[in-house]
PDB file of all heavy atoms in Angstrom:
ATOM      1  N   THR A 225       1.657  10.434 -17.902  1.00  0.00           N
ATOM      2  CA  THR A 225       2.178  10.657 -16.547  1.00  0.00           C
ATOM      3  C   THR A 225       2.401  12.138 -16.275  1.00  0.00           C
ATOM      4  O   THR A 225       2.490  12.542 -15.123  1.00  0.00           O
ATOM      5  CB  THR A 225       3.492   9.890 -16.292  1.00  0.00           C
ATOM      6  OG1 THR A 225       4.443  10.274 -17.284  1.00  0.00           O
ATOM      7  CG2 THR A 225       3.270   8.402 -16.346  1.00  0.00           C
ATOM      8  N   ASP A 269      -8.411   5.326 -15.235  1.00  0.00           N
ATOM      9  CA  ASP A 269      -8.287   3.902 -14.934  1.00  0.00           C
ATOM     10  C   ASP A 269      -9.668   3.324 -14.594  1.00  0.00           C
ATOM     11  O   ASP A 269     -10.314   3.778 -13.657  1.00  0.00           O
ATOM     12  CB  ASP A 269      -7.339   3.731 -13.742  1.00  0.00           C
ATOM     13  CG  ASP A 269      -6.978   2.280 -13.477  1.00  0.00           C
ATOM     14  OD1 ASP A 269      -7.668   1.384 -13.997  1.00  0.00           O
ATOM     15  OD2 ASP A 269      -6.009   2.047 -12.740  1.00  0.00           O
ATOM     16  N   TYR A 330       3.222  15.164   3.441  1.00  0.00           N
ATOM     17  CA  TYR A 330       3.792  14.338   4.508  1.00  0.00           C
ATOM     18  C   TYR A 330       5.299  14.591   4.536  1.00  0.00           C
ATOM     19  O   TYR A 330       6.076  13.805   4.005  1.00  0.00           O
ATOM     20  CB  TYR A 330       3.499  12.865   4.236  1.00  0.00           C
ATOM     21  CG  TYR A 330       3.634  11.970   5.440  1.00  0.00           C
ATOM     22  CD1 TYR A 330       2.557  11.254   5.930  1.00  0.00           C
ATOM     23  CD2 TYR A 330       4.840  11.840   6.111  1.00  0.00           C
ATOM     24  CE1 TYR A 330       2.664  10.440   7.039  1.00  0.00           C
ATOM     25  CE2 TYR A 330       4.957  11.032   7.221  1.00  0.00           C
ATOM     26  CZ  TYR A 330       3.867  10.333   7.678  1.00  0.00           C
ATOM     27  OH  TYR A 330       3.980   9.514   8.789  1.00  0.00           O
ATOM     28  N   GLN A 334      11.987  16.305  10.440  1.00  0.00           N
ATOM     29  CA  GLN A 334      12.975  17.354  10.684  1.00  0.00           C
ATOM     30  C   GLN A 334      12.661  18.642   9.922  1.00  0.00           C
ATOM     31  O   GLN A 334      13.323  19.661  10.118  1.00  0.00           O
ATOM     32  CB  GLN A 334      14.402  16.860  10.383  1.00  0.00           C
ATOM     33  CG  GLN A 334      14.626  16.252   9.014  1.00  0.00           C
ATOM     34  CD  GLN A 334      14.376  14.747   8.983  1.00  0.00           C
ATOM     35  OE1 GLN A 334      13.365  14.257   9.474  1.00  0.00           O
ATOM     36  NE2 GLN A 334      15.289  13.999   8.374  1.00  0.00           N
ATOM     37  N   ASP A 350       7.332  13.991  -4.100  1.00  0.00           N
ATOM     38  CA  ASP A 350       7.248  12.716  -3.384  1.00  0.00           C
ATOM     39  C   ASP A 350       6.571  12.824  -2.027  1.00  0.00           C
ATOM     40  O   ASP A 350       6.276  11.796  -1.410  1.00  0.00           O
ATOM     41  CB  ASP A 350       8.648  12.122  -3.198  1.00  0.00           C
ATOM     42  CG  ASP A 350       9.138  11.455  -4.464  1.00  0.00           C
ATOM     43  OD1 ASP A 350       8.308  11.221  -5.350  1.00  0.00           O
ATOM     44  OD2 ASP A 350      10.340  11.171  -4.556  1.00  0.00           O
ATOM     45  N   LYS A 394      -7.772  -3.672   0.345  1.00  0.00           N
ATOM     46  CA  LYS A 394      -8.695  -4.290   1.297  1.00  0.00           C
ATOM     47  C   LYS A 394      -8.029  -4.382   2.664  1.00  0.00           C
ATOM     48  O   LYS A 394      -6.848  -4.768   2.758  1.00  0.00           O
ATOM     49  CB  LYS A 394      -9.010  -5.703   0.767  1.00  0.00           C
ATOM     50  CG  LYS A 394      -9.981  -6.528   1.572  1.00  0.00           C
ATOM     51  CD  LYS A 394     -10.077  -7.922   0.918  1.00  0.00           C
ATOM     52  CE  LYS A 394     -11.162  -8.770   1.554  1.00  0.00           C
ATOM     53  NZ  LYS A 394     -11.204 -10.113   0.908  1.00  0.00           N
ATOM     54  N   ARG A 397      -6.856  -7.627   7.853  1.00  0.00           N
ATOM     55  CA  ARG A 397      -6.640  -8.130   9.200  1.00  0.00           C
ATOM     56  C   ARG A 397      -6.703  -6.970  10.179  1.00  0.00           C
ATOM     57  O   ARG A 397      -6.169  -5.898   9.899  1.00  0.00           O
ATOM     58  CB  ARG A 397      -5.245  -8.769   9.263  1.00  0.00           C
ATOM     59  CG  ARG A 397      -5.039  -9.690  10.416  1.00  0.00           C
ATOM     60  CD  ARG A 397      -3.608 -10.099  10.583  1.00  0.00           C
ATOM     61  NE  ARG A 397      -2.944 -10.657   9.417  1.00  0.00           N
ATOM     62  CZ  ARG A 397      -1.744 -11.253   9.492  1.00  0.00           C
ATOM     63  NH1 ARG A 397      -1.129 -11.363  10.646  1.00  0.00           N
ATOM     64  NH2 ARG A 397      -1.177 -11.714   8.406  1.00  0.00           N
ATOM     65  N   VAL A 406       3.110  -7.391  22.367  1.00  0.00           N
ATOM     66  CA  VAL A 406       3.831  -8.665  22.397  1.00  0.00           C
ATOM     67  C   VAL A 406       3.041  -9.726  21.643  1.00  0.00           C
ATOM     68  O   VAL A 406       3.570 -10.411  20.779  1.00  0.00           O
ATOM     69  CB  VAL A 406       4.090  -9.112  23.850  1.00  0.00           C
ATOM     70  CG1 VAL A 406       4.787 -10.474  23.864  1.00  0.00           C
ATOM     71  CG2 VAL A 406       4.920  -8.072  24.568  1.00  0.00           C
ATOM     72  N   TRP A 408      -0.720 -10.418  19.490  1.00  0.00           N
ATOM     73  CA  TRP A 408      -1.820  -9.741  18.795  1.00  0.00           C
ATOM     74  C   TRP A 408      -2.903 -10.755  18.519  1.00  0.00           C
ATOM     75  O   TRP A 408      -2.635 -11.847  18.029  1.00  0.00           O
ATOM     76  CB  TRP A 408      -1.311  -9.146  17.480  1.00  0.00           C
ATOM     77  CG  TRP A 408      -0.373  -8.001  17.654  1.00  0.00           C
ATOM     78  CD1 TRP A 408       0.987  -8.077  17.753  1.00  0.00           C
ATOM     79  CD2 TRP A 408      -0.711  -6.604  17.750  1.00  0.00           C
ATOM     80  NE1 TRP A 408       1.509  -6.805  17.903  1.00  0.00           N
ATOM     81  CE2 TRP A 408       0.491  -5.885  17.897  1.00  0.00           C
ATOM     82  CE3 TRP A 408      -1.913  -5.898  17.723  1.00  0.00           C
ATOM     83  CZ2 TRP A 408       0.536  -4.500  18.029  1.00  0.00           C
ATOM     84  CZ3 TRP A 408      -1.879  -4.519  17.838  1.00  0.00           C
ATOM     85  CH2 TRP A 408      -0.671  -3.828  17.995  1.00  0.00           C
ATOM     86  N   ASN A 420     -15.499  -3.292  -5.891  1.00  0.00           N
ATOM     87  CA  ASN A 420     -15.890  -2.940  -7.255  1.00  0.00           C
ATOM     88  C   ASN A 420     -15.411  -4.047  -8.208  1.00  0.00           C
ATOM     89  O   ASN A 420     -14.748  -5.004  -7.776  1.00  0.00           O
ATOM     90  CB  ASN A 420     -15.406  -1.532  -7.617  1.00  0.00           C
ATOM     91  CG  ASN A 420     -13.963  -1.468  -8.087  1.00  0.00           C
ATOM     92  OD1 ASN A 420     -13.257  -2.474  -8.150  1.00  0.00           O
ATOM     93  ND2 ASN A 420     -13.512  -0.282  -8.408  1.00  0.00           N
ATOM     94  N   SER A 454       1.610  -5.102   5.130  1.00  0.00           N
ATOM     95  CA  SER A 454       2.390  -4.419   6.161  1.00  0.00           C
ATOM     96  C   SER A 454       1.415  -3.916   7.216  1.00  0.00           C
ATOM     97  O   SER A 454       0.339  -3.429   6.883  1.00  0.00           O
ATOM     98  CB  SER A 454       3.165  -3.229   5.574  1.00  0.00           C
ATOM     99  OG  SER A 454       4.201  -3.672   4.742  1.00  0.00           O
ATOM    100  N   GLU A 458       4.309   1.136  14.928  1.00  0.00           N
ATOM    101  CA  GLU A 458       4.035   1.325  16.350  1.00  0.00           C
ATOM    102  C   GLU A 458       4.326   2.752  16.806  1.00  0.00           C
ATOM    103  O   GLU A 458       3.582   3.329  17.568  1.00  0.00           O
ATOM    104  CB  GLU A 458       4.872   0.356  17.177  1.00  0.00           C
ATOM    105  CG  GLU A 458       4.319  -1.046  17.111  1.00  0.00           C
ATOM    106  CD  GLU A 458       5.069  -2.017  18.000  1.00  0.00           C
ATOM    107  OE1 GLU A 458       5.702  -1.573  18.975  1.00  0.00           O
ATOM    108  OE2 GLU A 458       5.032  -3.211  17.687  1.00  0.00           O
ATOM    109  N   ARG A 459       5.445   3.296  16.340  1.00  0.00           N
ATOM    110  CA  ARG A 459       5.810   4.625  16.810  1.00  0.00           C
ATOM    111  C   ARG A 459       5.195   5.688  15.912  1.00  0.00           C
ATOM    112  O   ARG A 459       5.172   5.550  14.689  1.00  0.00           O
ATOM    113  CB  ARG A 459       7.328   4.794  16.807  1.00  0.00           C
ATOM    114  CG  ARG A 459       7.988   3.965  17.887  1.00  0.00           C
ATOM    115  CD  ARG A 459       9.357   4.503  18.219  1.00  0.00           C
ATOM    116  NE  ARG A 459      10.427   3.751  17.581  1.00  0.00           N
ATOM    117  CZ  ARG A 459      11.711   3.843  17.958  1.00  0.00           C
ATOM    118  NH1 ARG A 459      12.077   4.651  18.919  1.00  0.00           N
ATOM    119  NH2 ARG A 459      12.627   3.135  17.330  1.00  0.00           N
ATOM    120  N   ASN A 470      -0.994   7.669  11.649  1.00  0.00           N
ATOM    121  CA  ASN A 470      -1.608   6.325  11.568  1.00  0.00           C
ATOM    122  C   ASN A 470      -0.819   5.244  12.283  1.00  0.00           C
ATOM    123  O   ASN A 470      -0.826   4.098  11.863  1.00  0.00           O
ATOM    124  CB  ASN A 470      -1.837   5.941  10.098  1.00  0.00           C
ATOM    125  CG  ASN A 470      -0.571   5.459   9.421  1.00  0.00           C
ATOM    126  OD1 ASN A 470       0.517   5.939   9.742  1.00  0.00           O
ATOM    127  ND2 ASN A 470      -0.688   4.520   8.506  1.00  0.00           N
ATOM    128  N   TYR A 518      10.442  12.142  16.048  1.00  0.00           N
ATOM    129  CA  TYR A 518      11.357  11.491  15.123  1.00  0.00           C
ATOM    130  C   TYR A 518      11.381   9.989  15.412  1.00  0.00           C
ATOM    131  O   TYR A 518      11.739   9.212  14.586  1.00  0.00           O
ATOM    132  CB  TYR A 518      12.779  12.009  15.297  1.00  0.00           C
ATOM    133  CG  TYR A 518      12.995  13.421  14.880  1.00  0.00           C
ATOM    134  CD1 TYR A 518      12.181  14.445  15.316  1.00  0.00           C
ATOM    135  CD2 TYR A 518      14.044  13.730  14.030  1.00  0.00           C
ATOM    136  CE1 TYR A 518      12.396  15.742  14.932  1.00  0.00           C
ATOM    137  CE2 TYR A 518      14.267  15.035  13.649  1.00  0.00           C
ATOM    138  CZ  TYR A 518      13.437  16.046  14.104  1.00  0.00           C
ATOM    139  OH  TYR A 518      13.667  17.329  13.722  1.00  0.00           O
ATOM    140  N   GLU A 520      11.923   8.534  19.181  1.00  0.00           N
ATOM    141  CA  GLU A 520      12.101   8.083  20.558  1.00  0.00           C
ATOM    142  C   GLU A 520      10.973   8.586  21.437  1.00  0.00           C
ATOM    143  O   GLU A 520      11.080   9.616  22.099  1.00  0.00           O
ATOM    144  CB  GLU A 520      13.440   8.557  21.118  1.00  0.00           C
ATOM    145  CG  GLU A 520      13.701   7.957  22.494  1.00  0.00           C
ATOM    146  CD  GLU A 520      15.088   8.304  23.001  1.00  0.00           C
ATOM    147  OE1 GLU A 520      16.069   8.032  22.290  1.00  0.00           O
ATOM    148  OE2 GLU A 520      15.182   8.846  24.103  1.00  0.00           O
TER     149      GLU A 520
ATOM    150  N   THR B 234     -15.211  -9.920 -10.130  1.00  0.00           N
ATOM    151  CA  THR B 234     -14.473 -10.195  -8.886  1.00  0.00           C
ATOM    152  C   THR B 234     -14.425 -11.692  -8.583  1.00  0.00           C
ATOM    153  O   THR B 234     -13.590 -12.127  -7.804  1.00  0.00           O
ATOM    154  CB  THR B 234     -15.083  -9.452  -7.677  1.00  0.00           C
ATOM    155  OG1 THR B 234     -16.459  -9.814  -7.567  1.00  0.00           O
ATOM    156  CG2 THR B 234     -14.974  -7.955  -7.839  1.00  0.00           C
ATOM    157  N   ASP B 278      -6.803  -4.745 -16.202  1.00  0.00           N
ATOM    158  CA  ASP B 278      -6.617  -3.331 -15.877  1.00  0.00           C
ATOM    159  C   ASP B 278      -5.476  -2.751 -16.728  1.00  0.00           C
ATOM    160  O   ASP B 278      -4.349  -3.232 -16.668  1.00  0.00           O
ATOM    161  CB  ASP B 278      -6.276  -3.210 -14.389  1.00  0.00           C
ATOM    162  CG  ASP B 278      -6.273  -1.765 -13.902  1.00  0.00           C
ATOM    163  OD1 ASP B 278      -6.219  -0.843 -14.745  1.00  0.00           O
ATOM    164  OD2 ASP B 278      -6.317  -1.564 -12.677  1.00  0.00           O
ATOM    165  N   TYR B 339       0.487 -15.299   4.200  1.00  0.00           N
ATOM    166  CA  TYR B 339       0.981 -14.511   5.328  1.00  0.00           C
ATOM    167  C   TYR B 339       0.050 -14.796   6.513  1.00  0.00           C
ATOM    168  O   TYR B 339      -0.856 -14.014   6.807  1.00  0.00           O
ATOM    169  CB  TYR B 339       0.968 -13.025   4.971  1.00  0.00           C
ATOM    170  CG  TYR B 339       1.837 -12.173   5.862  1.00  0.00           C
ATOM    171  CD1 TYR B 339       2.897 -11.441   5.346  1.00  0.00           C
ATOM    172  CD2 TYR B 339       1.604 -12.093   7.229  1.00  0.00           C
ATOM    173  CE1 TYR B 339       3.698 -10.662   6.158  1.00  0.00           C
ATOM    174  CE2 TYR B 339       2.400 -11.316   8.047  1.00  0.00           C
ATOM    175  CZ  TYR B 339       3.440 -10.608   7.511  1.00  0.00           C
ATOM    176  OH  TYR B 339       4.245  -9.832   8.312  1.00  0.00           O
ATOM    177  N   GLN B 343       0.479 -16.781  15.393  1.00  0.00           N
ATOM    178  CA  GLN B 343       0.041 -17.855  16.280  1.00  0.00           C
ATOM    179  C   GLN B 343      -0.387 -19.103  15.518  1.00  0.00           C
ATOM    180  O   GLN B 343      -0.658 -20.139  16.130  1.00  0.00           O
ATOM    181  CB  GLN B 343      -1.072 -17.375  17.223  1.00  0.00           C
ATOM    182  CG  GLN B 343      -2.283 -16.713  16.569  1.00  0.00           C
ATOM    183  CD  GLN B 343      -2.126 -15.208  16.401  1.00  0.00           C
ATOM    184  OE1 GLN B 343      -1.100 -14.731  15.935  1.00  0.00           O
ATOM    185  NE2 GLN B 343      -3.140 -14.451  16.751  1.00  0.00           N
ATOM    186  N   ASP B 359      -7.977 -13.973   2.774  1.00  0.00           N
ATOM    187  CA  ASP B 359      -7.348 -12.719   3.195  1.00  0.00           C
ATOM    188  C   ASP B 359      -5.861 -12.864   3.499  1.00  0.00           C
ATOM    189  O   ASP B 359      -5.177 -11.863   3.696  1.00  0.00           O
ATOM    190  CB  ASP B 359      -8.059 -12.153   4.428  1.00  0.00           C
ATOM    191  CG  ASP B 359      -9.348 -11.439   4.043  1.00  0.00           C
ATOM    192  OD1 ASP B 359      -9.526 -11.161   2.845  1.00  0.00           O
ATOM    193  OD2 ASP B 359     -10.164 -11.176   4.940  1.00  0.00           O
ATOM    194  N   LYS B 403       5.144   3.759  -5.775  1.00  0.00           N
ATOM    195  CA  LYS B 403       6.475   4.365  -5.886  1.00  0.00           C
ATOM    196  C   LYS B 403       7.131   4.408  -4.504  1.00  0.00           C
ATOM    197  O   LYS B 403       6.479   4.751  -3.512  1.00  0.00           O
ATOM    198  CB  LYS B 403       6.276   5.790  -6.408  1.00  0.00           C
ATOM    199  CG  LYS B 403       7.520   6.611  -6.646  1.00  0.00           C
ATOM    200  CD  LYS B 403       7.101   8.035  -7.061  1.00  0.00           C
ATOM    201  CE  LYS B 403       8.271   8.879  -7.514  1.00  0.00           C
ATOM    202  NZ  LYS B 403       7.816  10.247  -7.873  1.00  0.00           N
ATOM    203  N   ARG B 406      10.519   7.491  -0.265  1.00  0.00           N
ATOM    204  CA  ARG B 406      11.444   7.941   0.756  1.00  0.00           C
ATOM    205  C   ARG B 406      12.228   6.754   1.289  1.00  0.00           C
ATOM    206  O   ARG B 406      11.657   5.689   1.492  1.00  0.00           O
ATOM    207  CB  ARG B 406      10.643   8.563   1.905  1.00  0.00           C
ATOM    208  CG  ARG B 406      11.439   9.415   2.818  1.00  0.00           C
ATOM    209  CD  ARG B 406      10.686   9.817   4.066  1.00  0.00           C
ATOM    210  NE  ARG B 406       9.365  10.397   3.877  1.00  0.00           N
ATOM    211  CZ  ARG B 406       8.678  10.956   4.879  1.00  0.00           C
ATOM    212  NH1 ARG B 406       9.194  11.021   6.078  1.00  0.00           N
ATOM    213  NH2 ARG B 406       7.472  11.444   4.665  1.00  0.00           N
ATOM    214  N   VAL B 415      15.659   6.669  16.563  1.00  0.00           N
ATOM    215  CA  VAL B 415      15.251   7.927  17.183  1.00  0.00           C
ATOM    216  C   VAL B 415      15.165   9.026  16.123  1.00  0.00           C
ATOM    217  O   VAL B 415      14.175   9.745  16.027  1.00  0.00           O
ATOM    218  CB  VAL B 415      16.221   8.338  18.309  1.00  0.00           C
ATOM    219  CG1 VAL B 415      15.821   9.688  18.892  1.00  0.00           C
ATOM    220  CG2 VAL B 415      16.254   7.262  19.376  1.00  0.00           C
ATOM    221  N   TRP B 417      15.836   9.842  11.876  1.00  0.00           N
ATOM    222  CA  TRP B 417      15.964   9.196  10.564  1.00  0.00           C
ATOM    223  C   TRP B 417      16.451  10.236   9.562  1.00  0.00           C
ATOM    224  O   TRP B 417      15.917  11.342   9.499  1.00  0.00           O
ATOM    225  CB  TRP B 417      14.619   8.633  10.114  1.00  0.00           C
ATOM    226  CG  TRP B 417      14.163   7.468  10.925  1.00  0.00           C
ATOM    227  CD1 TRP B 417      13.405   7.501  12.064  1.00  0.00           C
ATOM    228  CD2 TRP B 417      14.433   6.077  10.672  1.00  0.00           C
ATOM    229  NE1 TRP B 417      13.180   6.228  12.524  1.00  0.00           N
ATOM    230  CE2 TRP B 417      13.796   5.337  11.690  1.00  0.00           C
ATOM    231  CE3 TRP B 417      15.142   5.396   9.682  1.00  0.00           C
ATOM    232  CZ2 TRP B 417      13.851   3.939  11.740  1.00  0.00           C
ATOM    233  CZ3 TRP B 417      15.188   4.011   9.739  1.00  0.00           C
ATOM    234  CH2 TRP B 417      14.559   3.303  10.755  1.00  0.00           C
ATOM    235  N   ASN B 429       5.061   3.691 -15.697  1.00  0.00           N
ATOM    236  CA  ASN B 429       4.235   3.391 -16.858  1.00  0.00           C
ATOM    237  C   ASN B 429       3.209   4.515 -17.046  1.00  0.00           C
ATOM    238  O   ASN B 429       3.150   5.441 -16.236  1.00  0.00           O
ATOM    239  CB  ASN B 429       3.627   1.978 -16.741  1.00  0.00           C
ATOM    240  CG  ASN B 429       2.346   1.907 -15.925  1.00  0.00           C
ATOM    241  OD1 ASN B 429       1.856   2.901 -15.389  1.00  0.00           O
ATOM    242  ND2 ASN B 429       1.815   0.713 -15.816  1.00  0.00           N
ATOM    243  N   GLU B 467       8.986  -1.659  12.615  1.00  0.00           N
ATOM    244  CA  GLU B 467      10.272  -1.892  13.270  1.00  0.00           C
ATOM    245  C   GLU B 467      10.428  -3.325  13.736  1.00  0.00           C
ATOM    246  O   GLU B 467      11.488  -3.913  13.613  1.00  0.00           O
ATOM    247  CB  GLU B 467      10.421  -0.944  14.465  1.00  0.00           C
ATOM    248  CG  GLU B 467      10.708   0.470  14.020  1.00  0.00           C
ATOM    249  CD  GLU B 467      10.952   1.401  15.186  1.00  0.00           C
ATOM    250  OE1 GLU B 467      11.328   0.944  16.275  1.00  0.00           O
ATOM    251  OE2 GLU B 467      10.759   2.613  14.987  1.00  0.00           O
ATOM    252  N   ARG B 468       9.358  -3.866  14.326  1.00  0.00           N
ATOM    253  CA  ARG B 468       9.480  -5.215  14.858  1.00  0.00           C
ATOM    254  C   ARG B 468       9.128  -6.242  13.793  1.00  0.00           C
ATOM    255  O   ARG B 468       8.174  -6.069  13.029  1.00  0.00           O
ATOM    256  CB  ARG B 468       8.549  -5.392  16.052  1.00  0.00           C
ATOM    257  CG  ARG B 468       8.999  -4.597  17.250  1.00  0.00           C
ATOM    258  CD  ARG B 468       8.399  -5.166  18.517  1.00  0.00           C
ATOM    259  NE  ARG B 468       7.261  -4.408  18.975  1.00  0.00           N
ATOM    260  CZ  ARG B 468       6.738  -4.538  20.206  1.00  0.00           C
ATOM    261  NH1 ARG B 468       7.262  -5.377  21.069  1.00  0.00           N
ATOM    262  NH2 ARG B 468       5.691  -3.821  20.569  1.00  0.00           N
ATOM    263  N   ASN B 479       9.635  -8.004   6.224  1.00  0.00           N
ATOM    264  CA  ASN B 479       9.957  -6.657   5.734  1.00  0.00           C
ATOM    265  C   ASN B 479      10.035  -5.598   6.828  1.00  0.00           C
ATOM    266  O   ASN B 479       9.737  -4.439   6.596  1.00  0.00           O
ATOM    267  CB  ASN B 479       8.952  -6.219   4.651  1.00  0.00           C
ATOM    268  CG  ASN B 479       7.636  -5.770   5.253  1.00  0.00           C
ATOM    269  OD1 ASN B 479       7.214  -6.281   6.271  1.00  0.00           O
ATOM    270  ND2 ASN B 479       6.994  -4.802   4.616  1.00  0.00           N
ATOM    271  N   TYR B 527       5.807 -12.750  17.778  1.00  0.00           N
ATOM    272  CA  TYR B 527       4.529 -12.096  17.977  1.00  0.00           C
ATOM    273  C   TYR B 527       4.762 -10.612  18.224  1.00  0.00           C
ATOM    274  O   TYR B 527       3.894  -9.815  18.007  1.00  0.00           O
ATOM    275  CB  TYR B 527       3.795 -12.647  19.194  1.00  0.00           C
ATOM    276  CG  TYR B 527       3.334 -14.056  19.072  1.00  0.00           C
ATOM    277  CD1 TYR B 527       4.171 -15.061  18.652  1.00  0.00           C
ATOM    278  CD2 TYR B 527       2.026 -14.376  19.372  1.00  0.00           C
ATOM    279  CE1 TYR B 527       3.739 -16.352  18.550  1.00  0.00           C
ATOM    280  CE2 TYR B 527       1.577 -15.668  19.277  1.00  0.00           C
ATOM    281  CZ  TYR B 527       2.440 -16.665  18.865  1.00  0.00           C
ATOM    282  OH  TYR B 527       2.002 -17.951  18.766  1.00  0.00           O
ATOM    283  N   GLU B 529       7.390  -9.248  21.036  1.00  0.00           N
ATOM    284  CA  GLU B 529       8.387  -8.850  22.026  1.00  0.00           C
ATOM    285  C   GLU B 529       9.756  -9.381  21.662  1.00  0.00           C
ATOM    286  O   GLU B 529      10.184 -10.434  22.125  1.00  0.00           O
ATOM    287  CB  GLU B 529       7.997  -9.327  23.427  1.00  0.00           C
ATOM    288  CG  GLU B 529       8.952  -8.780  24.480  1.00  0.00           C
ATOM    289  CD  GLU B 529       8.497  -9.123  25.881  1.00  0.00           C
ATOM    290  OE1 GLU B 529       7.338  -8.828  26.207  1.00  0.00           O
ATOM    291  OE2 GLU B 529       9.302  -9.679  26.637  1.00  0.00           O
TER     292      GLU B 529
END
Side-chain angles (χ1 to χ4, degrees):
Chain A
T225 56
D269 189 344
Y330 199 118
Q334 53 270 48
D350 281 345
K394 182 184 187 181
R397 198 190 307 191
V406 177
W408 291 90
N420 83 359
S454 290
E458 285 184 24
R459 290 201 260 196
N470 79 327
Y518 292 50
E520 187 174 305
Chain B
T234 56
D278 189 343
Y339 198 119
Q343 53 271 47
D359 281 346
K403 182 184 188 181
R406 197 190 309 189
V415 177
W417 291 90
N429 84 359
E467 286 184 23
R468 290 201 259 195
N479 78 327
Y527 293 49
E529 186 174 307

